[in-house]
Amino acid sequence: MRWLIIKYVVTAAIVVAVSEAAKRSDRLGGFIAALPMVTVLALVWLHLERQPQARLANHAYYTFWYVLPTLPMFLAFPWLLARLGFWPTLAASAALTIACFALTAWAVRPFGVELLP
């Protein structure tokens, strides 16, 4: 139980640090948020929990494929925000990400990459 609490605290601290940095500098906040900190942390947690190397490798591999469909949202969000407001933009961005994910899953399947169960 103590290990789980440590994981929560460290992970939450990183999220708070990103939001605090973004308050002070758009560029710094974006830069920190773009770093693969969550993935690196997950890899560290998995390693410390003695998961097999194949599991760590698969986690990194699938993270790559799952990140790709999120990228268009980062371009659409600022463009939509000025036109729709925050909540509609957030909903539209989520819908765009889901659509891009479905398209990516369909496009990479012929190459042996299975993103959907």
Side-chain angles (χ1 to χ4, degrees), residues 38-55:
V38 172
T39 300
V40 169
L41 263 181
L43 291 170
V44 168
W45 299 147
L46 289 169
H47 173 74
L48 292 175
E49 293 167 353
R50 302 189 193 292
Q51 294 296 313
Q53 284 187 350
R55 176 144 318 180

Side-chain angles (χ1 to χ4, degrees), residues 58-73:
N58 282 338
H59 178 78
Y61 176 78
Y62 284 111
T63 297
F64 169 80
W65 290 109
Y66 291 133
V67 163
L68 288 179
T70 69
L71 297 177
M73 184 275 300

Side-chain angles (χ1 to χ4, degrees), residues 4-90:
L4 187 59
I5 292 169
I6 290 170
K7 286 172 34 175
Y8 275 124
V9 168
V10 170
T11 305
I14 289 175
V15 172
V16 170
V18 169
S19 67
E20 290 300 312
K23 284 185 203 176
R24 289 160 181 73
S25 168
D26 297 336
R27 287 187 184 113
L28 180 60
F31 173 72
I32 294 170
L35 296 172
M37 291 180 289
V38 172
T39 300
V40 169
L41 263 181
L43 291 170
V44 168
W45 299 147
L46 289 169
H47 173 74
L48 292 175
E49 293 167 353
R50 302 189 193 292
Q51 294 296 313
Q53 284 187 350
R55 176 144 318 180
L56 279 75
N58 282 338
H59 178 78
Y61 176 78
Y62 284 111
T63 297
F64 169 80
W65 290 109
Y66 291 133
V67 163
L68 288 179
T70 69
L71 297 177
M73 184 275 300
F74 292 106
L75 294 175
F77 189 91
W79 187 81
L80 291 171
L81 187 59
R83 291 158 180 79
L84 303 177
F86 180 77
W87 294 112
T89 294
L90 195 59

